[in-house]
Amino acid sequence: MENGKEIHIERIIYLLSARIEGKLSDEEQAELERWVEESESNRQLFDNLANEVYRRSVLSNWAPPAAEKLLSRLKSRIETKKRIRFGARISVAASLLLLILFAGYYFLAGNKGADGHITADAHSDLLPASNKAVLKTGYGKVFVLNNQKQGLISAQSAAVIDKTDSNAISYKGEGNGLINVHTPLYDTLSNPMGGNNYRLTLADGTKILLNTGTVIRFPEAFGSAGREVELINGEIYVEVVHNDKAPFRVTTNGLSITDIGTHFDVSAYNDDDAVKTTLAEGSVRVQQGSSSFILHPGQQAVSGKQNDKIYVSDADITGTLAWTTGLFHFDHADLKTVMKQLARWYNVEIVYEGQLPSVKITGEIYRNLKASEVFEGLNYLNVRFQVEGNKIIVKDK
Amino acid sequence: MRILSHADERSIDYIVVSDDQTFDQTFKSYYHPLCFYALKFVGQEDAEDIIEDVFLKLWDKKKVFNNPEHLRAWLYQAVHNACLDFLKVSKRAAERELNAFRSESNVDDPFSHRIIEAEVFGEIYRALNELPSQCRKIVHMSFIEGLSNREISEQLGLSEQTVKNQKGRGLLILRKKLNRNTFLLLLLLIYMK
């Protein structure tokens, strides 16, 4: 019933303290080292808390007068506001942001009180998505990118492929990437379910971010006929390097999106009913069959896969792009919508038992959490989540 | 109404930051830890502005919090969101090209670890600042600035014995206020010089 991470952190502080006091047993030493090795963030926290100079330097910067000075500045702002508002009462929007707590919060307050129960099964848990992307080149070579060292991956064809980061590859072509190829080679980048966001830079400099469960097919270099990328499944965020002579186009499910200088998001998961194109900046033309629209920033086009209809509405940009900043974001989402996202991220199947409660979920939570930590954030719901193998079982509490 | 989450204050039913006293105390308690957190994303001046805005919002909304942890979580979440929004807006086109996907590259970053760090320091900071004034001064000079008893006694014009006594008293109070592990960290801070 205890939150694993909570115990963890408290244990780590204990180990750290014991270490600095020189009271650490060999076993404890090994335990601490294992934890530190577990992730970069663990190492960071360890380094920071273990570093006495650092601790002292942080605290010596925290002067109460500085806080007091800002407080009085703030107070005068509040006073001014009050005066302006007087007579024109503004009703505060009733948009209550439901807050999802971070795991690890309670360890400091030592709050393990009556309401601290956790619904997730402590014994089986799911780790957040990790780097799993696979690149298949037109030559038929397959690269499991996580096994590749950073640096050159392939220079066999028109483009040079580099692994530029743990989760990024980049194509470099001649000049602006628009070389005269008659039959360009097509590569496929697959970021499977349970794969962390993956970045791709195309030969023309256009940047594409792939969400979990995404497959795209693209030419290694672009011919003069234009630049076309196919979204086979999933969701991408595209920052196009605009070129008047060679329009950039994303096609998916019979839909084509043509850039007119642009940053946009396309979501076309196979298990969704519609393709959603959301424009963050610039302008795009969305076309399907005989329907065609030009989107303006902040708009979203929803196109059904069954017909040629396109609906355009105002988009929730922050919500749509939350995944690009490492967040799950829900705005009055029903449980099924939420679970669908978790299913992709943790690469699991969702099984519903009994009646599904009709709840609306609003809030944000980090994606780089274990499933149990996300469930903890959803603890206020009257729902029990249980991990069994590669399934999440959802039922009434 | 008290806001800090010490053991003897668990009887609170809920918190509404609607009076000056609660507001001021919340601000003083959380300003530095939140700033520390925001500095991960933005510069000092922007961090100050962001925190001001978050507290304005806190004041305007008259939101009800179930417990101190709820309030604390709301504050960090609000600062976090404000920082991300700020980054989105402030990036000019050129910067955008250079730093494309910069926010994305933070995906693996330990937000919750950073909060934990901020709150470990925050707990120590709050506890220190609640000490009686002379006691606080001495504890600060000794533990944070790293001065010896003699140096403190010279600077404050007190006997070394008085400095020693005040330090002991301060530690006693801190031990009561701080959670055991945080206290241990503070002790390390003290004895490791």
Side-chain angles (χ1 to χ4, degrees), chain A residues 151-170:
Chain A
L152 186 68
I153 293 177
S154 164
Q156 230 172 350
S157 48
V160 171
I161 311 170
D162 266 309
K163 180 170 172 177
T164 50
D165 203 343
S166 62
N167 62 341
I169 55 169
S170 168

Side-chain angles (χ1 to χ4, degrees), chain A residues 384-395:
Chain A
R384 189 180 155 81
F385 303 93
Q386 201 175 327
V387 175
E388 270 180 24
N390 62 344
K391 285 186 191 136
I392 298 175
I393 295 162
V394 182
K395 52 186 167 191

Side-chain angles (χ1 to χ4, degrees), chain A residues 10 41-42 48 54 56 62-63 67 70 73 75 77 81 101 108-109 197 207 281 324 364 366 368, chain B residues 10 24 27 31-32 52-53 56 60 69 73 80 96 101 110-111 113 117 119 125 144 179 181 189:
Chain A
E10 220 167 336
S41 58
N42 287 356
N48 291 349
Y54 173 78
R56 196 168 278 167
W62 291 15
L70 278 158
R73 186 173 98 180
K75 280 297 193 54
R77 261 179 86 187
K81 255 180 116 179
L101 296 180
L108 284 167
N197 290 356
K207 295 191 170 73
E281 269 181 37
T324 66
E364 284 187 339
Y366 299 108
N368 68 343
Chain B
R10 291 273 164 69
D24 292 5
F27 188 89
Y31 170 71
H32 282 296
E52 247 191 76
D53 287 342
L56 267 184
D60 284 341
E69 290 75 30
H80 181 90
R96 245 207 158 94
F101 298 123
F111 297 122
H113 282 32
E117 206 188 319
E119 277 309 291
Y125 170 79
I144 311 290
N179 129 346
N181 283 319
L189 191 83

Side-chain angles (χ1 to χ4, degrees), chain A residues 66-216:
Chain A
E68 253 148 43
K69 201 173 123 203
L70 278 158
L71 177 60
S72 67
R73 186 173 98 180
L74 178 56
K75 280 297 193 54
S76 68
R77 261 179 86 187
I78 290 177
E79 281 307 311
T80 320
K81 255 180 116 179
K82 263 190 206 155
R83 257 177 266 134
I84 292 167
R85 278 194 184 175
F86 198 74
R89 255 184 84 85
I90 297 163
S91 68
V92 179
S95 63
L96 244 179
L97 179 76
L98 248 180
L99 188 82
I100 296 177
L101 296 180
F102 296 106
Y105 252 128
Y106 286 95
F107 91 94
L108 284 167
N111 182 347
K112 288 157 206 145
D115 61 349
H117 57 86
I118 309 297
T119 42
D121 184 341
H123 298 294
S124 48
D125 203 346
L126 300 165
L127 293 174
S130 53
N131 295 332
K132 290 185 177 143
V134 174
L135 176 71
K136 189 172 170 220
T137 69
Y139 282 117
K141 273 201 160 182
V142 175
F143 299 96
V144 176
L145 294 169
N146 214 29
N147 299 342
Q148 296 290 320
K149 288 212 180 89
Q150 250 164 263
L152 186 68
I153 293 177
S154 164
Q156 230 172 350
S157 48
V160 171
I161 311 170
D162 266 309
K163 180 170 172 177
T164 50
D165 203 343
S166 62
N167 62 341
I169 55 169
S170 168
Y171 281 67
K172 274 197 197 75
E174 308 266 323
N176 58 0
L178 296 176
I179 59 163
N180 209 357
V181 278
H182 297 293
T183 46
L185 279 173
Y186 278 87
D187 291 2
T188 306
L189 183 61
S190 309
N191 188 26
M193 301 282 177
N196 198 0
N197 290 356
Y198 214 90
R199 286 181 284 156
L200 166 69
T201 306
L202 296 175
D204 63 347
T206 291
K207 295 191 170 73
I208 301 185
L209 186 65
L210 285 76
N211 203 344
T212 193
T214 297
V215 181
I216 63 168

